[in-house]
Each structure stands twice: as structure tokens, then as C-alpha cells.
Amino acid sequence: MDSQGFREAAATAIDEIAGYYDNLDDRNVVSTVEPGYLRKLLPSEAPVEGEEWTDIQKDIEGKILPGITHWQHPGFHAFFPCATSFPSILGELYSAALSGACFNWICSPAVTELETIVLDWLAKVLGLPECYLSTGPTRGGGVIQGSASEAVLTAMVAARDKYLRETVPLEQFPEGSEAREDAIAHKRSKMVALATTATHSSTKKAAIILGVRFHTIPVHADTNYSLTGPVLAKTLADLRARGLEPFFMTATLGTTDTCAVDDFAGIVSTLKSDPVHPAGSPGELWVHIDAAYAGSALVLPSVQEQVSISLIENFHSFDMNMHKWLLTNFDASCLYVRDRNWFIQALTINQAVYGNKASEGGLVTDYREWQIPLGRRFRSLKIWFVLRSYGVKGLQEYISRTIKLGEEFADQLKSRPDLFEILTGPSFALTVFRVAGKEQGKSEEELNALTKAVCEKINASGRMWVTSTVLDGRFAIRMVTSVRTTEKEHVDRAWKILVEAAEEVLKA
Ligand code: PLP
């Protein structure tokens, strides 16, 4: 395909994509194909001769779209959204066109510099404390990672390195000595990463990958599924009594099940008065804030205040996925650290082939030192396009609108206490509920079975998709209203489908 061929093919592709969005609501939300459907439709070998674009393009509608679950569909109320928007798609297009493995500044100065600038812009929009800005007092800054899972892994690597540096003294165990290797190996066997039962599984996965111990702190309905300071204090004491060394914890702003927010003030106060490694002293607990989904709502000053975002200046790293709720397509996980040296010290390995004058001059950022892979994509472009196209006001309007849809849906649930019981929320456009019946003497098992039946029935409609969870043994439906294309009419449609399903299931 030459540039003229590209011009023509791209025009038809863009036209088809725009049409897809115009008619998205006509499709079933969830793909209904059988496993293995595609193997039956495609040849078993790659073509020997190149094919015409028109032939390739027609297989999108005929072969690929049937196997797509439409995450941008207005009836998509499952999991959390996986955002996109037209400005973001355009950013992706330019990024692909300017493709490179831009790991060092010199590999494309614009790639590095735009990333630093837009992440500073974003930090200010979200109200993050100054220490997370690249221009802040502690030389912090942001880096775009592929996912929140990669972000927590990166933070945990840095936390492990910092903890070992601070607690295996160089005077006693000199650099490069066998004694140091032994001391580090022994300490590693005692190090434990913490999370709660509501924390996303990516923290556990990071601990497994790093080969450190992992401890789960139970949280329940009594604290609205959030971690409190006293519970953390007791956990630290119990682990240390067993000879273990807590070095890392993920606290969450918007948990996956219910959008709970951990008690930042309580955690800060517990860590300040920690009897072994008080905050700010060598060996302090590294706190990573996982705001993968709900972090987007920080565009609203009222949310910044509600969650006391200024308190995160006491923590070490913060991550949010623009690709969940902030109109930017996968992948755009924005990870911030309070002191860039924590990443650089843990992740820099020099190899002659990557040496260059700019890096050696020390005046540039080389993002390969802030991440696990070497190569990196030009992801800041789509963030830049989104921030400029929507403006802060546009982002605030969008987030407020979707939160309001969630509140209106929860009001509808409350209007039918004979059918539904809200378990949590609405919180950040997520409400978690189940079928009512406790007052009529229905057992937990019966309620679980009825709620499951309602969940299956509404999803079978094809018009909407919800996912479920289990809270303290209670099966519950999660209803999310934050997909960009979802409007009031779609939430009202979902409500109608839900009421009909619940009435039928309860009658049966
Ligand atoms: N953290 C939270 C709170 C999440 O809800 C999720 C996924 O939904 C993740 C982390 C993992 O996100 P990613 O797919 O970016 O790794």
C-alpha cells in the first residue's frame, strides 16, 4: 500500500468506524459467538500473495464484529468502562504513524517531553499534591504505563529496592560483598506486601511475580469495605510479631467490587505513629494508591475534597487509568511517584548500546528507567488530544453527567424496596444491589439464587450487560453508568428490563 492507497483505504476505514458508532445501539452488547468461531471462518495459512484492502476491510463486519463485545455500547454496564473518544482514536492513529521504541529522550524528544508535560497537566487537573509533579519540590513526576497492573508491579519493584537500601546498611554489608548478597536474600524472604480483600488482584500478582510474601487484610460491610487506620496498625503489629517485614501496601481509591475508598487519614495517622518504621524514616511502608477507575472523578474539585486527595503527599505512588473513565483508549495508565529516583535507582541498567550524549549529560528524562519494558509507545499524544479537545470543563461535565446517571439509577432502585436492596453506592457511578426479600424471611441462599437468576435474565436481553460480585457471601449485581455513549434513555431502558426480570423471577 503506497501513500495514495493509504489515503483511500484510511478514508473508508474512518467512515466505517464513524458508522459503527452511529449505529452501535442496534447491536447486541455481548458477542454471542461460540468458542472457536473464528477458526472456522479464516484460512489455516497466511496468504502467500498480498490481498486488496477492500477484501480485508469487508472481513471486519463479516468476521470480526460478530466476535466483539461492544465496550462502547450504551448498554454496557459491566466491570468498569474501557474508555475511548474520537480525539483519542486520532491520537492513536498518529502514534502508529510515528511508531518508534522511544525509550530514551534522544529516541524522539517530543515523545518524552510531551509525556512529562501532559502528565503534569493531568496531575494539576486531578488536584494531586505538588510532590507528584515533575516540577515539584521532590523531583517526582508521572509516566504512562500500559495498565494498572504494570503500574503496581513497577511501584512494588521500587519499594522493594528502597526498603532493602534503607534496611541493609552499607557500613555493615558493603556493596558487592557476599555478606550483602546474603543479608538481602534473607531479608527478601521476610518481606511482605499488603492489600485488603477489596484490593484488585493485580497487587497479589505483583507480589507473586516479585517473589515476595503477600498478606490480605479482611475488610467488611462494617467499614463499607474500606481499610481503616486501626486495622492497619493491628496488621503491622501481627506480621512483625511473626518475624515478617511489611514493606509495601496498596490502598485503593475506588475498589473494583464497590468503589470503596480506603481511609487515607487513618492510614496516614497510623503510619506516622508506627512504632518500628514511622513514615519518613528508613524502612517506612511504601503506600501505592490504586485509583485505576475512580481516579478520573478527581477532575471534580468536590471529589478531590471528598477523598482528601491532598493527603496522598504522605504516600509514595499514585496510579489512575485514563483508559477506564477519562475518554482515552487503552492503554493510558498514568503512574505518579513522589521521588523519581526511587524508580530510577531500581530500574536503571546501563548497556553500552543505549548510551548517548543527552542521557549522559543528565538533563533529560529517559523513561526506560521508570518502567519494566525497554521500548515504549507514543501514548501521550492521545492524552494531549483528549485534554485539549474536551478541556477541563468538558471532562468535568462528562464525569458529572455519568455520576448523575448512577444516582438516578440508585433512586429508581430505592423506589422499589419490594424488589431491590442496595448493598453499596451509588459511588462513582457504580451501584451494587441484590433482589430484596430479607424482610419476607428469604434466606441468604435464596436471595443469592434469585439475584443470580435476575442477572442472567437481564443479560440475556442483549440490550444491556451487567456483571456481578459477591460481598460477604452475598451475590450482587454491579451496575455502572459511566460509558461515554450511555445517556438517560439507556439507563431508563436498563431499569425497565431489570424490573421486568425481577418481577418474573420473583413470581416464578
Ligand atoms: N485496580 C482496580 C481498582 C481495577 O478495578 C482494575 C481493573 O478493573 C485494575 C486495578 C486493573 O487494571 P488494568 O487492567 O489496567 O491492569
Side-chain angles (χ1 to χ4, degrees):
M1 192 183 281
D2 59 13
S3 62
Q4 186 51 31
F6 173 67
R7 240 177 225 113
E8 287 159 19
T12 62
I14 299 285
D15 195 45
E16 186 173 38
I17 291 167
Y20 167 79
Y21 277 94
D22 290 343
N23 301 307
L24 194 45
D25 197 25
D26 298 343
R27 298 179 188 266
N28 261 9
V29 186
V30 183
S31 168
T32 53
V33 296
E34 295 294 327
Y37 89 100
L38 197 52
R39 193 167 282 282
K40 292 184 196 137
L41 298 178
L42 296 190
S44 55
E45 310 289 335
V48 174
E49 302 291 337
E51 297 178 60
E52 288 302 312
W53 166 249
T54 42
D55 292 333
I56 301 169
Q57 187 183 22
K58 65 176 193 297
D59 282 349
I60 289 286
E61 182 64 55
K63 298 188 172 132
I64 297 302
L65 285 177
I68 292 291
T69 288
H70 303 283
W71 286 65
Q72 312 308 323
H73 193 291
F76 186 98
H77 305 293
F79 307 113
F80 287 134
C82 193
T84 192
S85 64
F86 295 121
S88 175
I89 294 171
L90 289 172
E92 203 62 80
L93 191 60
Y94 277 102
S95 169
L98 304 174
S99 184
C102 303
F103 44 85
N104 280 344
W105 177 86
I106 193 60
C107 294
S108 273
V111 174
T112 295
E113 296 199 11
L114 187 65
E115 184 156 335
T116 307
I117 292 166
V118 294
L119 286 190
D120 279 347
W121 283 11
L122 181 69
K124 290 182 198 166
V125 173
L126 301 179
L128 302 190
E130 251 205 311
C131 57
Y132 289 100
L133 295 179
S134 72
T135 51
T138 49
R139 300 268 298 149
V143 56
I144 308 170
Q145 305 274 331
S147 68
S149 305
E150 262 175 77
V152 70
L153 179 62
T154 307
M156 204 186 283
V157 171
R160 184 180 65 177
D161 192 70
K162 177 174 180 290
Y163 186 82
L164 289 169
R165 224 175 19 251
E166 292 176 352
T167 60
V168 183
L170 275 169
E171 312 80 63
Q172 203 181 337
F173 302 101
E175 194 64 67
S177 67
E178 193 68 22
R180 184 166 191 82
E181 290 286 312
D182 287 345
I184 285 178
H186 178 69
K187 201 164 267 287
R188 276 187 176 202
S189 72
K190 301 289 170 198
M191 288 169 67
V192 52
L194 311 181
T196 76
T197 38
T199 309
H200 188 265
S201 53
S202 47
T203 295
K204 183 172 184 177
K205 195 182 241 187
I208 291 170
I209 293 169
L210 291 189
V212 294
R213 293 172 188 246
F214 178 71
H215 178 80
T216 310
I217 308 169
V219 288
H220 301 287
D222 58 342
T223 61
N224 210 13
Y225 301 96
S226 55
L227 174 68
T228 63
V231 169
L232 173 61
K234 184 170 178 327
T235 305
L236 294 175
D238 290 351
L239 290 169
R240 287 176 181 144
R242 287 167 48 199
L244 300 178
E245 303 192 29
F247 77 103
F248 178 93
M249 180 174 81
T250 297
T252 310
L253 193 173
T255 58
T256 313
D257 284 331
T258 68
C259 268
V261 180
D262 286 330
D263 173 16
F264 294 164
I267 294 170
V268 169
S269 139
T270 290
L271 294 179
K272 278 194 171 151
S273 57
D274 185 69
V276 181
H277 295 300
S281 71
E284 63 175 343
L285 187 78
W286 177 303
V287 182
H288 172 73
I289 300 299
D290 176 4
Y293 166 69
S296 295
L298 292 170
V299 298
L300 300 174
S302 57
V303 173
Q304 294 170 15
E305 206 171 306
Q306 177 199 329
V307 304
S308 307
I309 198 63
S310 58
L311 285 177
I312 72 163
E313 70 180 7
N314 297 285
F315 302 146
H316 301 78
S317 50
F318 170 94
D319 180 64
M320 61 80 67
N321 284 352
M322 283 190 78
H323 65 247
K324 278 193 165 31
W325 193 7
L326 215 49
L327 299 162
T328 309
N329 65 276
F330 198 76
D331 48 354
S333 191
C334 302
L335 170 65
Y336 291 89
V337 68
R338 214 175 73 203
D339 179 345
R340 64 183 59 194
N341 281 318
W342 295 332
F343 282 170
I344 294 170
Q345 284 173 316
L347 294 164
T348 303
I349 297 180
N350 285 320
Q351 197 171 343
V353 69
Y354 302 127
N356 68 88
K357 234 161 131 189
S359 300
E360 280 138 29
L363 289 177
V364 299
T365 299
D366 287 335
Y367 277 122
R368 74 185 166 98
E369 298 172 345
W370 300 47
Q371 64 174 22
I372 289 159
L374 172 74
R376 53 203 329 274
R377 309 198 306 115
F378 196 176
R379 288 182 287 219
S380 54
L381 211 46
K382 61 191 171 194
I383 296 179
W384 192 41
F385 287 5
V386 167
L387 293 177
R388 291 180 64 184
S389 300
Y390 283 86
V392 177
K393 272 195 187 157
L395 298 178
Q396 289 172 336
E397 277 165 21
Y398 160 66
I399 295 285
S400 300
R401 180 177 72 75
T402 55
I403 288 178
K404 187 156 173 271
L405 287 178
E407 287 165 353
E408 287 167 353
F409 177 76
D411 285 343
Q412 285 171 317
L413 287 173
K414 286 178 203 157
S415 74
R416 293 296 306 268
D418 55 321
L419 291 181
F420 304 110
E421 175 196 4
I422 293 181
L423 297 182
T424 68
S427 178
F428 300 111
L430 165 68
T431 304
V432 184
F433 63 97
R434 66 173 176 171
V435 167
K438 207 144 198 244
E439 259 115 70
Q440 294 95 307
K442 288 204 168 64
S443 70
E444 290 296 332
E445 291 72 36
E446 282 173 294
L447 290 175
N448 284 353
L450 288 169
T451 307
K452 210 172 199 174
V454 170
C455 189
E456 280 165 12
K457 213 171 192 35
I458 54 183
N459 285 343
S461 73
R463 301 281 67 220
M464 63 185 287
W465 193 31
V466 290
T467 40
S468 58
T469 187
V470 178
L471 298 178
D472 285 333
R474 297 170 300 173
F475 185 94
I477 297 172
R478 294 170 73 265
M479 170 81 180
V480 179
T481 55
S482 42
V483 169
R484 179 176 61 85
T485 58
T486 303
E487 299 285 347
K488 175 94 175 80
E489 63 182 285
H490 306 112
V491 179
D492 287 345
R493 179 175 74 193
W495 169 246
K496 201 163 160 276
I497 295 170
L498 177 64
V499 169
E500 278 169 18
E503 284 175 340
E504 258 179 62
V505 165
L506 285 169
K507 225 187 291 151

